[in-house]
Amino acid sequence: MKEFKSYRYSVITILTIVALVFVFTRCMNKDTEPAGVIKNAAGKQFAGSATCANCHKNIYDHHLKTAHYLTTRIAAEEYIRGSFENGKNTYAYDDEKLVAVERRGNGFYQVEYNQGTEKTAHRIDIVIGSGTMGQSFLTWENDQLFQLPITYFTAAHEWSNSPGYPNKIIFNRPITSRCLECHSTFAKTTSNNETGPEKFVPSQMIYGVDCEKCHGPAGQHVDFQSKNPAIQTAKYIINPARLSRQQNLDLCASCHGGRLKKTRPSFEFTVGDTLSHFFDLDTSAPDPAKIDVHGNQYGLLRASKCFRKSETLTCNTCHNPHDVEKGNTALFSSRCITCHSAGHEKICAMTSAIGRSIKNNCIDCHMPLKPSRAIAVFLPRESSPTAALIRSHYISIYPGETKQVLQFLNQKH
Ligand code: HEC
Ligand code: HEC
Ligand code: HEC
Ligand code: HEC
Ligand code: HEC
Ligand code: HEC
Ligand code: HEC
C-alpha cells in the first residue's frame, strides 16, 4: 500500500512538473500577459487584495473575516463548515442512496453510494457561501463548473439536499457566470451563453467579494502609490464615499437587488456605473409582499418609508463594508437613532412602553427575521423543506413581532 502510494506521488510530481513547464513555455511564447495578470473587460488590471495589506493593513485584516471575502474560496479545511465525521457526513435520499463527504488524500469529495457501493466521486474545488446560512460546493470539469448535490445548512448543523434540487442525486447542474458575478470579484469566461455550458479560465478568477469589486481594479493605484511613497493622496482608485447616492446603491444592488436580467456581458458592471445600463431593472413601485427576503435587500429597502422619505439613506448608513457587525443589535440600533431622535425624525411610538432598553434593539420589531422562499432545503428525516431566516429590509411596523419582543422583555424583568 505504501509503495503504491509513493509510486503514485512520484507520478503526480512528474506530471506536475510537465504541466508547469508546459504552462511557462506557453506564457513565454505568447507575447500577451505574464502569468497571473488579470484584467477586466475594459482592460484595467487587478492587483489582488493581498497587495492592499501593505498600506491599508487594518482594513485588510478585518476584511478577511467578512462574509464578502469568504463567499467563495478555493476548497480548504479552514473554509468548509460541514462535518466530515463518520455518521455526520452524509445525506440519505432514501433507504438505498446517499451522498457522503469524504477527505481523500489532499482533497475533499462528495461520493454517491447505492446500497453501500460507491457509484461516483467528485472533488470539491470551490466553497460557495461564508456559512452564515450555508455552503454549497462546486467542482471543475473541462473548465466548466458544476454544483455538487449536497449543501451544508448552518441553522441545523446538517448536510442537506442543495436548495431547489428535487429528491434526486444530481452532479451536473452547471454554475453560470451570473452565480459568480454575485459571489466573486471576477471570473474570466471563454463563452458567454447563459443557457448552454459556460466555460471559465480557472487561473483568471478572483474569489470572494474583494476590495476591487467595490473600489475597481487597483493595479494602477498600487503601482503609483508604491513608486511615490511620499505622496499621501490617492490616485487611480474609486472611493464610493465620493460617488452619488444612486451610484452607491447601484453598487450594492448589483448583487443585493434580486434576480436581474443582464443586458451586457458578465462582469462589465463596475463601481460608479449606472446599473440600468447593464441590467433590465424593474422601475415600478416595489411590493414588499412579493419580494423574497433573500438577495433583494435593495427592493425591500426601497419600499420602506425610511428610504422613500429620506434623501441620504443608503446601505452604508447602516453597514460598514469593511467590518463584521452581524449580531451587534445595539450598534445597528444606534444607526437608526442617528435619524430617529428628538429634533430629527419621529421617535418610536412605543418609547414609553419599552423604557430605556429600547435603544438596544430597534430591529427585532422593525426588521424581523423572515423565512426565505428561495433558500429552503430538505433536511434528513423531514418531508417538508426548512427555510433560512433572513432580516427583512422592509422597515415597517410588525404587530406580531412586537408582541413577541414585549413578552420577552417582560419575562426578563
Ligand atoms: C503603496 C501603498 C498603497 C497600496 C499598496 C494600496 N494603497 Fe490605497 N491608498 C494609498 C494611499 C497613500 C492613499 C491615500 C491616503 C489614504 O486614504 O489612506 C490610498 C487611498 C485609498 C483609497 C481611498 C481613496 C480616496 O480617494 O479616498 C482606497 C479606496 C484605496 N486606497 C484602495 C486600495 C486598494 C483596494 C488597494 C489594494 C488593491 C490599495 N489601495 C493598495 C496607498 C496604497
Ligand atoms: C459582487 C456582489 C456583491 C456586492 C457588490 C456587494 N455584496 Fe454584499 N454580499 C454579497 C454576497 C454574495 C453575500 C453573502 C456572503 C455569504 O455569506 O456567503 C453578501 C453579504 C452581505 C452582508 C451580510 C454580511 C454578514 O455578516 O452576514 C451585508 C451586510 C452586505 N453584503 C452588504 C453589502 C453592501 C452594503 C454592499 C455595497 C457597499 C454590498 N454588500 C455589495 C454580494 C455582494
Ligand atoms: C443576484 C445575486 C446573486 C446570485 C445570482 C446568486 N446569489 Fe447566492 N447569495 C446572494 C446574496 C446577496 C446572498 C446573501 C444574503 C441574502 O441571502 O440575501 C447569497 C447567499 C448564498 C448562499 C448562502 C451563504 C451564507 O452562508 O450565508 C449560498 C450557498 C449561495 N448564495 C449560493 C449561490 C449559488 C450556488 C448561486 C448560483 C446558482 C447563487 N448563489 C446565485 C446573491 C446572489
Ligand atoms: C462591499 C464593498 C467594499 C469592499 C469589499 C471593500 N470596500 Fe473599501 N470602501 C467601501 C465603501 C462603500 C467605502 C466608503 C465608505 C464611506 O462611505 O465612508 C470604502 C472606503 C474605503 C477606503 C477609504 C477610507 C475609509 O476607511 O473609509 C479605503 C482606504 C478602502 N475602502 C480600502 C479597502 C480595502 C483595502 C479593501 C479590501 C481589503 C476594501 N476597501 C474592501 C466599500 C468596500
Ligand atoms: C437616514 C435617516 C433614517 C435612518 C437611518 C432610519 N430611518 Fe426610519 N425613517 C426615516 C424617515 C425620514 C421616515 C419617515 C418619517 C415620516 O413619516 O415622516 C422613517 C420612518 C420609519 C418608520 C415608520 C414606518 C412606517 O411604515 O410607518 C419606522 C418604524 C422606522 N423608520 C424605523 C427605523 C429603524 C428601525 C431604523 C434602523 C434600522 C431606521 N428607521 C433608520 C429616516 C430614517
Ligand atoms: C436602516 C438600516 C439598514 C439599511 C439602510 C440597510 N441594512 Fe442591511 N441590515 C440591517 C440590519 C439591522 C441587519 C441585521 C444584522 C444582524 O443580523 O445582526 C442587516 C442585515 C443585512 C444582510 C444580512 C441578512 C441576513 O439576515 O443574513 C444583508 C445581506 C444586508 N443587510 C444588505 C444590505 C444592503 C445591500 C443594503 C442596501 C440596499 C442594506 N442592507 C441596507 C440594517 C440595514
Ligand atoms: C417592542 C417592539 C418595538 C421596538 C423595540 C421598537 N419599536 Fe418602534 N414601533 C413599534 C410599534 C408597534 C410601532 C407602532 C405603534 C403605534 O402606531 O401605535 C412603532 C412605531 C415606530 C415609529 C413610527 C412613529 C410614528 O409616529 O409614526 C418609528 C419611527 C419607530 N417605531 C422607530 C423605532 C426605533 C428607532 C426603535 C429603536 C430605538 C424602535 N422603534 C424600537 C414597535 C417597536
mmCIF file with all atom_site columns, all heavy atoms in Angstrom, residues 147-160:
data_model
loop_
_atom_site.group_PDB
_atom_site.id
_atom_site.type_symbol
_atom_site.label_atom_id
_atom_site.label_alt_id
_atom_site.label_comp_id
_atom_site.label_asym_id
_atom_site.label_entity_id
_atom_site.label_seq_id
_atom_site.pdbx_PDB_ins_code
_atom_site.Cartn_x
_atom_site.Cartn_y
_atom_site.Cartn_z
_atom_site.occupancy
_atom_site.B_iso_or_equiv
_atom_site.pdbx_formal_charge
_atom_site.auth_seq_id
_atom_site.auth_comp_id
_atom_site.auth_asym_id
_atom_site.auth_atom_id
_atom_site.pdbx_PDB_model_num
ATOM 1   N N   . GLN A 1 147 ? -22.369 22.420 -9.665 1.00 0.00 ? 147 GLN A N   1
ATOM 2   C CA  . GLN A 1 147 ? -22.697 22.395 -8.240 1.00 0.00 ? 147 GLN A CA  1
ATOM 3   C C   . GLN A 1 147 ? -22.823 20.945 -7.797 1.00 0.00 ? 147 GLN A C   1
ATOM 4   O O   . GLN A 1 147 ? -23.371 20.110 -8.524 1.00 0.00 ? 147 GLN A O   1
ATOM 5   C CB  . GLN A 1 147 ? -24.013 23.149 -8.011 1.00 0.00 ? 147 GLN A CB  1
ATOM 6   C CG  . GLN A 1 147 ? -24.346 23.335 -6.543 1.00 0.00 ? 147 GLN A CG  1
ATOM 7   C CD  . GLN A 1 147 ? -25.519 24.297 -6.322 1.00 0.00 ? 147 GLN A CD  1
ATOM 8   O OE1 . GLN A 1 147 ? -26.102 24.820 -7.270 1.00 0.00 ? 147 GLN A OE1 1
ATOM 9   N NE2 . GLN A 1 147 ? -25.859 24.525 -5.064 1.00 0.00 ? 147 GLN A NE2 1
ATOM 10  N N   . LEU A 1 148 ? -22.322 20.646 -6.598 1.00 0.00 ? 148 LEU A N   1
ATOM 11  C CA  . LEU A 1 148 ? -22.422 19.282 -6.083 1.00 0.00 ? 148 LEU A CA  1
ATOM 12  C C   . LEU A 1 148 ? -23.762 19.089 -5.349 1.00 0.00 ? 148 LEU A C   1
ATOM 13  O O   . LEU A 1 148 ? -24.381 20.054 -4.917 1.00 0.00 ? 148 LEU A O   1
ATOM 14  C CB  . LEU A 1 148 ? -21.222 18.990 -5.168 1.00 0.00 ? 148 LEU A CB  1
ATOM 15  C CG  . LEU A 1 148 ? -19.885 18.937 -5.936 1.00 0.00 ? 148 LEU A CG  1
ATOM 16  C CD1 . LEU A 1 148 ? -18.699 18.880 -4.987 1.00 0.00 ? 148 LEU A CD1 1
ATOM 17  C CD2 . LEU A 1 148 ? -19.865 17.750 -6.887 1.00 0.00 ? 148 LEU A CD2 1
ATOM 18  N N   . PRO A 1 149 ? -24.210 17.820 -5.250 1.00 0.00 ? 149 PRO A N   1
ATOM 19  C CA  . PRO A 1 149 ? -25.591 17.598 -4.793 1.00 0.00 ? 149 PRO A CA  1
ATOM 20  C C   . PRO A 1 149 ? -25.897 18.026 -3.360 1.00 0.00 ? 149 PRO A C   1
ATOM 21  O O   . PRO A 1 149 ? -27.002 18.447 -3.081 1.00 0.00 ? 149 PRO A O   1
ATOM 22  C CB  . PRO A 1 149 ? -25.794 16.084 -4.965 1.00 0.00 ? 149 PRO A CB  1
ATOM 23  C CG  . PRO A 1 149 ? -24.442 15.501 -5.152 1.00 0.00 ? 149 PRO A CG  1
ATOM 24  C CD  . PRO A 1 149 ? -23.578 16.576 -5.718 1.00 0.00 ? 149 PRO A CD  1
ATOM 25  N N   . ILE A 1 150 ? -24.913 17.904 -2.441 1.00 0.00 ? 150 ILE A N   1
ATOM 26  C CA  . ILE A 1 150 ? -25.325 18.249 -1.075 1.00 0.00 ? 150 ILE A CA  1
ATOM 27  C C   . ILE A 1 150 ? -24.659 19.517 -0.557 1.00 0.00 ? 150 ILE A C   1
ATOM 28  O O   . ILE A 1 150 ? -23.551 19.877 -0.924 1.00 0.00 ? 150 ILE A O   1
ATOM 29  C CB  . ILE A 1 150 ? -25.236 17.068 -0.066 1.00 0.00 ? 150 ILE A CB  1
ATOM 30  C CG1 . ILE A 1 150 ? -23.807 16.623 0.185  1.00 0.00 ? 150 ILE A CG1 1
ATOM 31  C CG2 . ILE A 1 150 ? -26.109 15.905 -0.519 1.00 0.00 ? 150 ILE A CG2 1
ATOM 32  C CD1 . ILE A 1 150 ? -23.708 15.580 1.315  1.00 0.00 ? 150 ILE A CD1 1
ATOM 33  N N   . THR A 1 151 ? -25.423 20.200 0.298  1.00 0.00 ? 151 THR A N   1
ATOM 34  C CA  . THR A 1 151 ? -25.128 21.532 0.802  1.00 0.00 ? 151 THR A CA  1
ATOM 35  C C   . THR A 1 151 ? -25.119 21.463 2.318  1.00 0.00 ? 151 THR A C   1
ATOM 36  O O   . THR A 1 151 ? -25.863 20.677 2.909  1.00 0.00 ? 151 THR A O   1
ATOM 37  C CB  . THR A 1 151 ? -26.249 22.482 0.293  1.00 0.00 ? 151 THR A CB  1
ATOM 38  O OG1 . THR A 1 151 ? -26.043 22.729 -1.100 1.00 0.00 ? 151 THR A OG1 1
ATOM 39  C CG2 . THR A 1 151 ? -26.287 23.796 1.030  1.00 0.00 ? 151 THR A CG2 1
ATOM 40  N N   . TYR A 1 152 ? -24.294 22.285 2.947  1.00 0.00 ? 152 TYR A N   1
ATOM 41  C CA  . TYR A 1 152 ? -24.293 22.347 4.408  1.00 0.00 ? 152 TYR A CA  1
ATOM 42  C C   . TYR A 1 152 ? -25.265 23.437 4.854  1.00 0.00 ? 152 TYR A C   1
ATOM 43  O O   . TYR A 1 152 ? -25.181 24.578 4.391  1.00 0.00 ? 152 TYR A O   1
ATOM 44  C CB  . TYR A 1 152 ? -22.878 22.641 4.919  1.00 0.00 ? 152 TYR A CB  1
ATOM 45  C CG  . TYR A 1 152 ? -22.821 22.758 6.420  1.00 0.00 ? 152 TYR A CG  1
ATOM 46  C CD1 . TYR A 1 152 ? -23.051 21.654 7.232  1.00 0.00 ? 152 TYR A CD1 1
ATOM 47  C CD2 . TYR A 1 152 ? -22.554 23.977 7.027  1.00 0.00 ? 152 TYR A CD2 1
ATOM 48  C CE1 . TYR A 1 152 ? -23.028 21.762 8.610  1.00 0.00 ? 152 TYR A CE1 1
ATOM 49  C CE2 . TYR A 1 152 ? -22.518 24.085 8.405  1.00 0.00 ? 152 TYR A CE2 1
ATOM 50  C CZ  . TYR A 1 152 ? -22.756 22.982 9.185  1.00 0.00 ? 152 TYR A CZ  1
ATOM 51  O OH  . TYR A 1 152 ? -22.737 23.095 10.553 1.00 0.00 ? 152 TYR A OH  1
ATOM 52  N N   . PHE A 1 153 ? -26.199 23.092 5.728  1.00 0.00 ? 153 PHE A N   1
ATOM 53  C CA  . PHE A 1 153 ? -27.214 24.038 6.197  1.00 0.00 ? 153 PHE A CA  1
ATOM 54  C C   . PHE A 1 153 ? -26.897 24.401 7.643  1.00 0.00 ? 153 PHE A C   1
ATOM 55  O O   . PHE A 1 153 ? -27.049 23.591 8.564  1.00 0.00 ? 153 PHE A O   1
ATOM 56  C CB  . PHE A 1 153 ? -28.598 23.403 6.071  1.00 0.00 ? 153 PHE A CB  1
ATOM 57  C CG  . PHE A 1 153 ? -29.735 24.383 6.228  1.00 0.00 ? 153 PHE A CG  1
ATOM 58  C CD1 . PHE A 1 153 ? -29.914 25.408 5.299  1.00 0.00 ? 153 PHE A CD1 1
ATOM 59  C CD2 . PHE A 1 153 ? -30.616 24.278 7.283  1.00 0.00 ? 153 PHE A CD2 1
ATOM 60  C CE1 . PHE A 1 153 ? -30.966 26.314 5.431  1.00 0.00 ? 153 PHE A CE1 1
ATOM 61  C CE2 . PHE A 1 153 ? -31.674 25.190 7.431  1.00 0.00 ? 153 PHE A CE2 1
ATOM 62  C CZ  . PHE A 1 153 ? -31.845 26.197 6.498  1.00 0.00 ? 153 PHE A CZ  1
ATOM 63  N N   . THR A 1 154 ? -26.426 25.628 7.844  1.00 0.00 ? 154 THR A N   1
ATOM 64  C CA  . THR A 1 154 ? -25.843 26.023 9.126  1.00 0.00 ? 154 THR A CA  1
ATOM 65  C C   . THR A 1 154 ? -26.834 25.952 10.289 1.00 0.00 ? 154 THR A C   1
ATOM 66  O O   . THR A 1 154 ? -26.486 25.459 11.370 1.00 0.00 ? 154 THR A O   1
ATOM 67  C CB  . THR A 1 154 ? -25.250 27.439 9.010  1.00 0.00 ? 154 THR A CB  1
ATOM 68  O OG1 . THR A 1 154 ? -24.351 27.437 7.889  1.00 0.00 ? 154 THR A OG1 1
ATOM 69  C CG2 . THR A 1 154 ? -24.493 27.847 10.256 1.00 0.00 ? 154 THR A CG2 1
ATOM 70  N N   . ALA A 1 155 ? -28.074 26.429 10.088 1.00 0.00 ? 155 ALA A N   1
ATOM 71  C CA  . ALA A 1 155 ? -29.028 26.506 11.204 1.00 0.00 ? 155 ALA A CA  1
ATOM 72  C C   . ALA A 1 155 ? -29.248 25.136 11.849 1.00 0.00 ? 155 ALA A C   1
ATOM 73  O O   . ALA A 1 155 ? -29.470 25.035 13.052 1.00 0.00 ? 155 ALA A O   1
ATOM 74  C CB  . ALA A 1 155 ? -30.338 27.091 10.730 1.00 0.00 ? 155 ALA A CB  1
ATOM 75  N N   . ALA A 1 156 ? -29.194 24.065 11.022 1.00 0.00 ? 156 ALA A N   1
ATOM 76  C CA  . ALA A 1 156 ? -29.445 22.728 11.559 1.00 0.00 ? 156 ALA A CA  1
ATOM 77  C C   . ALA A 1 156 ? -28.143 21.963 11.802 1.00 0.00 ? 156 ALA A C   1
ATOM 78  O O   . ALA A 1 156 ? -28.171 20.841 12.299 1.00 0.00 ? 156 ALA A O   1
ATOM 79  C CB  . ALA A 1 156 ? -30.327 21.953 10.591 1.00 0.00 ? 156 ALA A CB  1
ATOM 80  N N   . HIS A 1 157 ? -26.995 22.556 11.458 1.00 0.00 ? 157 HIS A N   1
ATOM 81  C CA  . HIS A 1 157 ? -25.695 21.870 11.510 1.00 0.00 ? 157 HIS A CA  1
ATOM 82  C C   . HIS A 1 157 ? -25.749 20.528 10.782 1.00 0.00 ? 157 HIS A C   1
ATOM 83  O O   . HIS A 1 157 ? -25.265 19.523 11.290 1.00 0.00 ? 157 HIS A O   1
ATOM 84  C CB  . HIS A 1 157 ? -25.241 21.620 12.955 1.00 0.00 ? 157 HIS A CB  1
ATOM 85  C CG  . HIS A 1 157 ? -25.112 22.880 13.743 1.00 0.00 ? 157 HIS A CG  1
ATOM 86  N ND1 . HIS A 1 157 ? -24.163 23.824 13.462 1.00 0.00 ? 157 HIS A ND1 1
ATOM 87  C CD2 . HIS A 1 157 ? -25.830 23.365 14.794 1.00 0.00 ? 157 HIS A CD2 1
ATOM 88  C CE1 . HIS A 1 157 ? -24.296 24.836 14.309 1.00 0.00 ? 157 HIS A CE1 1
ATOM 89  N NE2 . HIS A 1 157 ? -25.296 24.585 15.109 1.00 0.00 ? 157 HIS A NE2 1
ATOM 90  N N   . GLU A 1 158 ? -26.399 20.499 9.619  1.00 0.00 ? 158 GLU A N   1
ATOM 91  C CA  . GLU A 1 158 ? -26.521 19.224 8.912  1.00 0.00 ? 158 GLU A CA  1
ATOM 92  C C   . GLU A 1 158 ? -26.288 19.393 7.423  1.00 0.00 ? 158 GLU A C   1
ATOM 93  O O   . GLU A 1 158 ? -26.476 20.470 6.864  1.00 0.00 ? 158 GLU A O   1
ATOM 94  C CB  . GLU A 1 158 ? -27.935 18.659 9.113  1.00 0.00 ? 158 GLU A CB  1
ATOM 95  C CG  . GLU A 1 158 ? -28.147 18.137 10.512 1.00 0.00 ? 158 GLU A CG  1
ATOM 96  C CD  . GLU A 1 158 ? -29.252 17.095 10.575 1.00 0.00 ? 158 GLU A CD  1
ATOM 97  O OE1 . GLU A 1 158 ? -28.957 15.929 10.261 1.00 0.00 ? 158 GLU A OE1 1
ATOM 98  O OE2 . GLU A 1 158 ? -30.376 17.462 10.934 1.00 0.00 ? 158 GLU A OE2 1
ATOM 99  N N   . TRP A 1 159 ? -25.908 18.288 6.795  1.00 0.00 ? 159 TRP A N   1
ATOM 100 C CA  . TRP A 1 159 ? -25.848 18.253 5.344  1.00 0.00 ? 159 TRP A CA  1
ATOM 101 C C   . TRP A 1 159 ? -27.274 18.081 4.825  1.00 0.00 ? 159 TRP A C   1
ATOM 102 O O   . TRP A 1 159 ? -28.093 17.403 5.441  1.00 0.00 ? 159 TRP A O   1
ATOM 103 C CB  . TRP A 1 159 ? -24.965 17.087 4.878  1.00 0.00 ? 159 TRP A CB  1
ATOM 104 C CG  . TRP A 1 159 ? -23.528 17.304 5.236  1.00 0.00 ? 159 TRP A CG  1
ATOM 105 C CD1 . TRP A 1 159 ? -22.882 16.816 6.338  1.00 0.00 ? 159 TRP A CD1 1
ATOM 106 C CD2 . TRP A 1 159 ? -22.567 18.090 4.532  1.00 0.00 ? 159 TRP A CD2 1
ATOM 107 N NE1 . TRP A 1 159 ? -21.570 17.249 6.358  1.00 0.00 ? 159 TRP A NE1 1
ATOM 108 C CE2 . TRP A 1 159 ? -21.353 18.035 5.258  1.00 0.00 ? 159 TRP A CE2 1
ATOM 109 C CE3 . TRP A 1 159 ? -22.604 18.850 3.352  1.00 0.00 ? 159 TRP A CE3 1
ATOM 110 C CZ2 . TRP A 1 159 ? -20.190 18.695 4.854  1.00 0.00 ? 159 TRP A CZ2 1
ATOM 111 C CZ3 . TRP A 1 159 ? -21.447 19.510 2.946  1.00 0.00 ? 159 TRP A CZ3 1
ATOM 112 C CH2 . TRP A 1 159 ? -20.264 19.423 3.689  1.00 0.00 ? 159 TRP A CH2 1
ATOM 113 N N   . SER A 1 160 ? -27.560 18.719 3.684  1.00 0.00 ? 160 SER A N   1
ATOM 114 C CA  . SER A 1 160 ? -28.918 18.659 3.149  1.00 0.00 ? 160 SER A CA  1
ATOM 115 C C   . SER A 1 160 ? -28.822 18.560 1.629  1.00 0.00 ? 160 SER A C   1
ATOM 116 O O   . SER A 1 160 ? -27.751 18.751 1.058  1.00 0.00 ? 160 SER A O   1
ATOM 117 C CB  . SER A 1 160 ? -29.669 19.932 3.523  1.00 0.00 ? 160 SER A CB  1
ATOM 118 O OG  . SER A 1 160 ? -29.081 21.031 2.843  1.00 0.00 ? 160 SER A OG  1
#
